[in-house]
Amino acid sequence: MATTIKDIARVVGCSPSTVSRALSDHPQINENTKKAIRVVAKKMNFQINQVAAGLRKHKTNCIGVIVPQISNYFFSSILSGIQKVAAQAQYQVFVCETNESVEQEAGYIKSLSAGRTDGILMSLSKTTDTFDHLNDLNRQHIPLVLFDRTSDKVNVDQVEAEDESGAFMAVDYLLKGGSKRIAYLSGPENLRNSKNRLKGYKAALKKHKLSFKNKLVHVCDFNDADIKEAMTELFANNSNIDAVFAANDIMAVEAIQVLKSMQIAVPDQVAVVGFGDYPIARIVEPKLTTVSHNAHSIGINAAKRLFKAIEGVSLDFKEEKISSELIIRDSTR
Amino acid sequence: MATTIKDIARVVGCSPSTVSRALSDHPQINENTKKAIRVVAKKMNFQINQVAAGLRKHKTNCIGVIVPQISNYFFSSILSGIQKVAAQAQYQVFVCETNESVEQEAGYIKSLSAGRTDGILMSLSKTTDTFDHLNDLNRQHIPLVLFDRTSDKVNVDQVEAEDESGAFMAVDYLLKGGSKRIAYLSGPENLRNSKNRLKGYKAALKKHKLSFKNKLVHVCDFNDADIKEAMTELFANNSNIDAVFAANDIMAVEAIQVLKSMQIAVPDQVAVVGFGDYPIARIVEPKLTTVSHNAHSIGINAAKRLFKAIEGVSLDFKEEKISSELIIRDSTR
DNA sequence: GTGAAAGCGCTAACAC
DNA sequence: GTGTTAGCGCTTTCAC
């Protein structure tokens, strides 16, 4: 068993409270007592049980971050933003991965909210369609801020990219460049971002007085096989497609690979635009034109909101949009 | 304040112990009582305080994973292996990022070991050169397993890639292909993997009866600017370099970019081999020849070891090596 | 089948 | 300046 303050008290010959006070550098404790206690604590290799302290103080100085997938560059950039703010606020961050499963999501929510952390930042899994586990948090007064994968069905702070205008910029740029039939590789349909990006796509078509064609839209599940299938299907039935807009860079890069394998020249025959500005966008050939959604800022702002809420400063519930920008490279004309 | 078992007890009209037993489905509690308690618990939106339970039971069913950098593909692959094993064992996993700082590392170790988790998996930060914070864990009887970034200065289970033989295979292959002057872009010097890969590099040279030249080795700090500088320097002073072996794929890809910008043809003038088989290896042109170190297996085996230790099955302390393999693509002849 | 009481390791009034 | 006491929310022995 590990050393406790009781053990130290016994050795030093004082009460546990004195030990507790000495170790947290309470001003009213005699300097010599403090010294003696610190020496013994060190010698006995004492490590404070932060969980017990947290239970008592109702304060952990930890936050939890729940994401669908840690290895996704977008989420890890957001994470680095969050960590930066957390470090400044002297908080530790525990990251949990749901693997796109609502069950895991609910499990982590429970676990983190059950006295482990002072607040939670989270991005919904793509299968999440019930929100009881989130609304529970409200009732428990555990601050929650959603980022990126947000939802209008839950009444909390939300920080997300300007998906609609980002998609609009991308498609508008393609149309200005002369493209007429633009395929859209969408992410999972029930995600709000997917819907918003579709809105932007449609709005750009409208601006250029082109009609929306449903068969140019393919919903993909964020995996390579899916994209390959979608691309093959699109180009089999609509050989006159002249551009592809993908809901993220991974899909866009995969689309480029498929086009190459079909001997279709990018951007001369088909232009490609992605979303996210992942590092891979600068490596693939041709270098990918893409919409940057400023993931780092999403993380920073979401974290700032969370800390405000933890401090009890209740901002009005707000949806915050982080501006996106179009980054033009070589996969478009 | 959130609902507690006391609140439920008051409403139902029984004792807290009965509530506790009912909710954990104790066999000796009357079915009707259980039902009644569950109904009230649900209505009052009760969430058990797992931290309090953990404090009492000395068991959390959580493990912690500490890595230098979450966004690194290598670490996220390892993580997915860990998660898989953890999910099977009904454990939750909390991921912590040190950003290569020993202070953060020590902070997270303390925090996780202070009653928050039943065991810790970790990969050392590149600046870690003292090991007290790790040896403390031993004294506290908190199981620890190191992976990838390991050290011979701490006496715990360690799981790592076959760095030396992996590097040997890569360099041997280059030499067999006709390369004579092979530059090595090494990772930070104090990491054991860097040293082991260097050993492999030297062993391959020796096999082919070539002498080791120190000026062909450049230590880089895992960032793009560094690699650019190293490459520029190498190729300014040794224009007859005909191959580059990089300690990871990110560096290798960056090296290819630099070579391209210098109008040097890959692989015809200079061959390039990486380490890791990151997804980017199949995207870059030419596609990257690289050593796969089977990150997923590293995660799985490290986690299995940890769970054995948590269960009290004390395997002998062991260093386990996961086999690497050479994946030949287009960046070599 | 259920309750009372003790205690996990810590902190914080309240005493003196 | 330091000790006593109570209690954070839970589980678990020991009663009955």
Side-chain angles (χ1 to χ4, degrees):
Chain A
M1 213 61 265
T3 314
T4 71
I5 53 169
K6 264 189 184 169
D7 302 325
I8 298 176
R10 206 176 305 120
V11 173
V12 176
C14 67
S15 76
S17 15
T18 303
V19 176
S20 168
R21 285 189 272 244
L23 293 174
S24 54
D25 209 24
H26 191 103
Q28 288 178 22
I29 297 286
N30 186 299
E31 273 308 323
N32 293 328
T33 321
K34 277 189 193 172
K35 236 172 251 169
I37 289 175
R38 285 205 200 107
V39 168
V40 174
K42 184 139 214 171
K43 191 164 11 184
M44 298 181 74
N45 195 243
F46 172 73
Q47 298 293 123
I48 192 171
N49 185 324
Q50 298 183 359
V51 157
L55 180 62
R56 180 63 233 245
K57 292 192 290 187
H58 294 289
K59 184 91 178 95
T60 63
N61 272 275
C62 296
I63 60 168
V65 182
I66 304 175
V67 292
Q69 207 198 348
I70 280 181
S71 66
N72 186 312
Y73 176 77
F74 176 53
F75 291 122
S76 31
S77 306
I78 293 181
L79 272 174
S80 81
I82 294 172
Q83 309 255 22
K84 199 170 166 185
V85 179
Q88 280 165 4
Q90 305 261 50
Y91 268 72
Q92 292 190 325
V93 180
F94 300 131
V95 183
C96 307
E97 180 174 55
T98 64
N99 241 314
E100 306 280 9
S101 132
V102 212
E103 289 75 33
Q104 291 251 35
E105 184 175 294
Y108 278 118
I109 289 263
K110 261 194 191 161
S111 179
L112 292 174
S113 63
R116 261 187 248 280
T117 55
D118 299 339
I120 299 175
L121 285 163
M122 131 159 182
S123 198
L124 296 170
S125 100
K126 73 183 172 202
T127 54
T128 301
D129 51 0
T130 60
F131 299 91
D132 292 353
H133 55 303
L134 298 185
N135 291 317
D136 285 354
L137 289 181
N138 264 331
R139 278 175 237 139
Q140 284 180 85
H141 311 294
I142 308 275
L144 168 70
V145 175
L146 294 182
F147 60 87
D148 183 51
R149 304 266 197 91
T150 58
S151 165
D152 45 19
K153 289 190 185 108
V154 47
N155 186 35
V156 296
D157 274 11
Q158 323 215 353
V159 180
E160 61 201 12
E162 268 184 353
D163 291 300
E164 183 173 343
S165 66
F168 178 87
M169 281 189 287
V171 178
D172 184 48
Y173 179 74
L174 285 169
L175 292 166
K176 281 180 183 158
S179 300
K180 297 253 179 289
R181 283 177 68 81
I182 304 172
Y184 172 43
L185 297 175
S186 163
E189 277 181 295
N190 60 326
L191 293 181
R192 186 148 62 143
N193 336 30
S194 301
K195 287 180 199 149
N196 286 339
R197 288 174 199 175
L198 183 60
K199 274 189 206 162
Y201 170 87
K202 285 182 179 170
L205 289 181
K206 197 166 179 185
K207 178 185 162 195
H208 290 261
K209 304 203 164 38
L210 288 170
S211 63
F212 170 74
K213 297 207 174 52
N214 202 37
K215 64 179 171 185
L216 289 180
V217 177
H218 259 248
V219 175
C220 301
D221 213 18
F222 291 147
N223 72 63
D224 286 0
D226 238 45
I227 296 156
K228 204 163 191 164
E229 198 187 306
M231 289 290 290
T232 313
E233 210 167 303
L234 280 166
F235 282 82
N237 304 330
N238 303 275
S239 48
N240 51 348
I241 287 174
D242 51 20
V244 174
F245 171 51
N248 73 34
D249 280 3
I250 299 176
M251 297 203 277
V253 166
E254 186 59 25
I256 290 179
Q257 307 297 313
V258 175
L259 288 169
K260 278 185 188 169
S261 74
M262 295 193 291
Q263 317 271 18
I264 296 175
V266 179
D268 292 338
Q269 291 173 266
V270 172
V272 177
V273 180
F275 208 111
D277 196 23
Y278 292 25
I280 209 171
R282 293 180 304 117
I283 304 296
V284 70
E285 297 205 4
K287 294 189 172 58
L288 185 66
T289 295
T290 186
V291 180
S292 162
H293 47 24
N294 225 332
H296 203 249
S297 300
I298 294 181
I300 288 179
N301 290 29
K304 281 188 179 162
R305 268 180 186 278
L306 183 67
F307 285 118
K308 286 277 179 216
I310 289 175
E311 285 164 18
V313 184
S314 65
L315 305 173
D316 292 343
F317 155 67
K318 211 184 127 192
E319 260 180 54
E320 185 177 345
K321 304 244 185 193
I322 305 295
S323 67
S324 308
E325 60 183 314
L326 184 66
I327 296 175
I328 297 165
R329 298 206 179 90
D330 309 331
S331 66
T332 50
R333 276 158 304 174
Chain B
M1 213 62 259
T3 313
T4 71
I5 55 169
K6 263 190 184 169
D7 302 324
I8 298 176
R10 206 175 305 121
V11 173
V12 177
C14 68
S15 76
S17 9
T18 304
V19 176
S20 169
R21 285 189 270 245
L23 292 175
S24 55
D25 208 24
H26 191 103
Q28 286 178 23
I29 296 287
N30 186 299
E31 272 307 323
N32 293 327
T33 322
K34 276 189 194 172
K35 235 172 253 169
I37 288 174
R38 286 205 199 107
V39 168
V40 174
K42 183 140 213 172
K43 193 165 6 184
M44 297 181 74
N45 195 244
F46 173 72
Q47 299 293 124
I48 193 173
N49 186 323
Q50 298 183 0
V51 157
L55 179 63
R56 181 60 231 247
K57 292 193 289 188
H58 292 289
K59 183 95 178 90
T60 62
N61 273 273
C62 296
I63 60 168
V65 182
I66 303 176
V67 292
Q69 205 197 350
I70 281 183
S71 66
N72 186 313
Y73 176 77
F74 176 53
F75 292 122
S76 31
S77 304
I78 293 181
L79 271 174
S80 83
I82 294 172
Q83 308 256 21
K84 200 170 164 183
V85 179
Q88 279 164 5
Q90 305 261 51
Y91 268 71
Q92 292 190 324
V93 356
F94 299 130
V95 183
C96 307
E97 181 176 54
T98 64
N99 241 313
E100 306 281 8
S101 133
V102 214
E103 290 75 33
Q104 290 251 34
E105 185 176 294
Y108 278 119
I109 289 263
K110 261 196 190 159
S111 179
L112 293 174
S113 63
R116 261 187 249 279
T117 55
D118 299 338
I120 298 177
L121 287 163
M122 132 158 182
S123 199
L124 296 171
S125 100
K126 72 184 173 200
T127 55
T128 301
D129 52 0
T130 60
F131 298 91
D132 293 351
H133 55 303
L134 298 185
N135 292 317
D136 285 352
L137 289 181
N138 264 332
R139 278 175 237 138
Q140 286 179 85
H141 312 294
I142 308 275
L144 167 71
V145 175
L146 293 183
F147 59 87
D148 183 52
R149 304 266 198 91
T150 59
S151 166
D152 46 19
K153 291 189 185 112
V154 46
N155 185 35
V156 296
D157 275 11
Q158 322 214 357
V159 180
E160 60 201 10
E162 268 184 353
D163 289 301
E164 183 172 344
S165 67
F168 178 87
M169 283 190 285
V171 177
D172 184 49
Y173 179 74
L174 285 170
L175 292 166
K176 281 180 183 159
S179 299
K180 297 253 180 289
R181 285 177 66 80
I182 303 173
Y184 172 43
L185 297 176
S186 163
E189 277 180 296
N190 61 326
L191 294 181
R192 185 148 62 145
N193 336 29
S194 300
K195 287 179 198 147
N196 286 340
R197 288 175 199 174
L198 183 60
K199 274 190 205 161
Y201 170 87
K202 285 182 179 171
L205 289 181
K206 195 166 182 184
K207 178 186 161 195
H208 290 261
K209 304 201 166 39
L210 289 170
S211 64
F212 170 73
K213 298 209 175 50
N214 203 37
K215 65 179 173 186
L216 288 178
V217 176
H218 258 250
V219 175
C220 301
D221 211 19
F222 291 148
N223 72 64
D224 286 0
D226 238 44
I227 297 157
K228 204 162 192 167
E229 198 186 306
M231 289 290 290
T232 313
E233 210 166 306
L234 280 166
F235 282 82
N237 305 331
N238 303 279
S239 49
N240 51 348
I241 287 174
D242 50 19
V244 174
F245 171 51
N248 72 35
D249 281 4
I250 298 177
M251 296 203 277
V253 166
E254 185 60 23
I256 291 181
Q257 307 298 312
V258 175
L259 289 169
K260 278 185 188 171
S261 74
M262 295 193 291
Q263 318 272 18
I264 296 176
V266 179
D268 291 338
Q269 291 174 265
V270 173
V272 177
V273 179
F275 208 112
D277 196 24
Y278 292 25
I280 209 169
R282 294 181 303 115
I283 303 296
V284 70
E285 293 202 9
K287 293 187 172 59
L288 185 66
T289 295
T290 185
V291 179
S292 163
H293 46 24
N294 225 333
H296 204 249
S297 300
I298 295 181
I300 287 179
N301 290 30
K304 281 186 178 162
R305 271 182 184 276
L306 183 68
F307 286 117
K308 286 277 181 220
I310 290 175
E311 285 164 17
V313 185
S314 66
L315 305 173
D316 293 343
F317 155 67
K318 212 184 126 194
E319 259 181 57
E320 186 178 344
K321 302 244 186 196
I322 304 296
S323 67
S324 307
E325 60 182 315
L326 184 67
I327 295 174
I328 297 164
R329 299 208 178 90
D330 310 330
S331 65
T332 50
R333 276 159 302 176

